[in-house]
Amino acid sequence: MKTAASAADLADIEDLRRQSGLEFMQAILSGERAGPPIGDAMGFALDHVEDGLVRFTGTPHFQTLNPMGGVHGGWYGTLLDSAMACAVMTKVPCGSTYTTLEYKVNITRALPADTEIVATGTVVHAGRSTGVANGEIRGAKDGRVYATGSTTCLIMALPVV
């Protein structure tokens, strides 16, 4: 997966009009479209896309630690927001987009730095104006749940320009 190097590499409104959310996410996964730079900054990448489900893999490194040496809660939140909201994106029709309205994260156990994880977002509802998804972060090797989450996203038509 390639990552956007500048704002010019990110999608514009016309790009979004031409593809469904599922097609858009598949294009990022295939490398046809650049992924967002947040993944590089936070140490995670898109790994799998299907209708209603998205998976990221990643590893929290030293840069993600809080002052006590634990993985910062914002890392869990960023990763779960990405997984859950991108799952909702797979349900967005052509000519529309989404934005996160709210999300909640439950950290169930401390994740040691340099532990490879799998984060999955799964849609539980996708309507005309809202999408709801759940997510979890599991250890790639041990399968243990490190965090869970839920989100509500606003699905909205793109503005006419």
Side-chain angles (χ1 to χ4, degrees), residues 2-60:
K2 69 179 181 181
T3 302
S6 72
D9 294 336
L10 299 174
D12 62 24
I13 288 177
E14 290 309 313
D15 292 330
L16 294 170
R17 275 190 218 292
R18 287 190 289 270
Q19 295 181 305
S20 69
L22 178 59
E23 292 167 331
F24 180 80
M25 294 304 303
Q26 289 170 331
I28 291 173
L29 181 63
S30 73
E32 176 186 329
R33 169 165 303 289
I38 188 76
D40 282 352
M42 301 290 277
F44 63 87
L46 187 60
D47 179 65
H48 178 84
V49 173
E50 64 184 79
D51 187 24
L53 187 139
V54 170
R55 186 175 62 227
F56 286 85
T57 56
T59 306

Side-chain angles (χ1 to χ4, degrees), residues 63-106:
Q63 297 86 342
T64 66
L65 301 183
N66 62 30
M68 288 75 62
V71 174
H72 192 282
W75 187 86
Y76 298 87
T78 300
L79 186 52
L80 282 169
D81 181 39
S82 296
M84 296 181 299
C86 287
V88 170
M89 181 63 170
T90 69
K91 295 294 200 176
V92 171
C94 287
S96 295
T97 190
Y98 79 93
T99 190
T100 300
L101 287 174
E102 60 82 31
Y103 70 94
K104 180 174 184 344
V105 173
N106 295 303

Side-chain angles (χ1 to χ4, degrees), residues 64-161:
T64 66
L65 301 183
N66 62 30
M68 288 75 62
V71 174
H72 192 282
W75 187 86
Y76 298 87
T78 300
L79 186 52
L80 282 169
D81 181 39
S82 296
M84 296 181 299
C86 287
V88 170
M89 181 63 170
T90 69
K91 295 294 200 176
V92 171
C94 287
S96 295
T97 190
Y98 79 93
T99 190
T100 300
L101 287 174
E102 60 82 31
Y103 70 94
K104 180 174 184 344
V105 173
N106 295 303
I107 299 169
T108 57
R109 63 174 42 91
L111 177 64
D114 301 317
T115 301
E116 185 180 359
I117 59 83
V118 176
T120 305
T122 307
V123 173
V124 296
H125 165 77
R128 281 183 302 121
S129 60
T130 61
V132 177
N134 292 327
E136 64 179 23
I137 297 173
R138 289 184 177 267
K141 290 187 172 80
D142 63 16
R144 296 175 78 183
V145 175
Y146 288 93
T148 62
S150 61
T151 192
T152 302
C153 295
L154 176 66
I155 298 171
M156 56 200 161
L158 291 166
V160 177
V161 286

